[in-house]
Amino acid sequence: MSAALIAALRALLPEGLALAASDPRAEATGLWPEEATAMARAVPNRRREFAAGRRAARSALATLGHAPAAIPMAPDRAPLWPEGVTGTISHGAGICLALLGRSEDWAGLGLDLEPALPLPEDTVATICTPAERETVAQDPSGLLSRRLFCAKEATYKAQYAQSRRLLSFHDLEVTFDASGDFSAELLTDCPPFPPATCFAGHSLKTGDILAALVTLPRL
């Protein structure tokens, strides 16, 4: 797992959030009965990822001072967090991270991990708006398309805690500044978020991993 990535993310986190990691390649241990039921028919790789997410989440719960608890999967496949807690789980590029906070302080959290590789050319139009495609075409590194995808995934997760709505990739338009921070503008109505809502986030690259982070404080 990437200690450098974890350190870089922790440096960006506002006070009151807990980040924990687990290895998604390890055996699928530590599942509570309520969680194991959801994985009864899953392939081994999916079971390992799911178990790693729950182990990381319980570690983050402990950091918050919360007692261990089951984190079952809801019908929409989102984690069912213990009362008073909100969070996000992401796995990719050989690492699994859970980010948790108290729901009285945070309306939503989003974290996404991706390999630092360009998106396949035939998926760019699906992921990117016309304006984003113009920017991608001018990117010499080839990584901007994946950074856009990562930023949108993190934003989707953060807003979903409030809207419970699945957005399409073209419902958000992302712009980056020179520091790697980004703004994701909502292009559709998504209550409680009106059109033109802008979600602020951070994007970073550590080694061969891209990460995007979005935190929505409770107003």
Side-chain angles (χ1 to χ4, degrees):
M1 293 189 294
S2 174
L5 172 65
I6 295 167
L9 284 168
R10 283 183 172 146
L12 293 172
L13 291 179
E15 187 175 354
L17 293 177
L19 180 72
S22 187
D23 187 349
R25 297 163 296 190
E27 289 300 314
T29 59
L31 289 177
W32 288 35
E34 305 95 314
E35 301 163 347
T37 300
M39 291 291 104
R41 299 183 180 180
V43 299
N45 186 57
R46 172 60 180 146
R47 282 183 61 85
R48 287 192 292 268
E49 290 179 342
F50 184 89
R54 267 49 187 183
R55 292 195 303 269
R58 272 187 278 279
S59 179
L61 278 177
T63 300
L64 290 177
H66 197 287
I71 306 166
M73 187 168 66
D76 62 3
R77 303 180 65 82
L80 280 173
W81 299 107
E83 185 176 355
V85 173
T86 189
T88 182
I89 296 173
S90 184
H91 39 74
I95 188 171
C96 178
L97 297 177
L99 177 65
L100 275 65
R102 299 190 182 282
S103 54
E104 65 183 18
D105 300 322
W106 302 98
L109 302 172
L111 176 64
D112 191 60
L113 304 172
E114 299 292 335
L117 297 169
L119 284 178
E121 187 63 33
D122 60 357
T123 67
V124 171
T126 301
I127 303 303
C128 300
T129 66
E132 290 168 342
R133 291 202 299 273
E134 289 184 11
T135 307
V136 165
Q138 300 169 21
D139 171 41
S141 74
L143 287 180
L144 182 57
S145 59
R146 183 77 68 168
R147 289 179 68 208
L148 284 162
F149 175 78
C150 193
K152 290 188 179 189
E153 286 288 305
T155 306
Y156 293 152
K157 293 178 182 180
Q159 67 81 34
Y160 188 78
Q162 295 298 306
S163 74
R164 315 310 290 184
R165 176 176 171 183
L166 296 174
L167 298 173
S168 78
F169 287 108
H170 285 206
D171 288 336
L172 288 172
E173 191 160 83
V174 173
T175 55
F176 292 93
D177 65 20
S179 71
D181 291 346
F182 65 86
S183 175
E185 181 182 359
L186 184 64
L187 303 181
T188 187
D189 189 32
C190 183
F193 305 107
T197 296
C198 287
F199 302 94
H202 303 282
S203 173
L204 63 150
K205 178 180 178 294
T206 305
D208 58 358
I209 303 176
L210 294 173
L213 170 70
V214 176
T215 58
L216 303 181
R218 180 77 65 184
L219 300 178

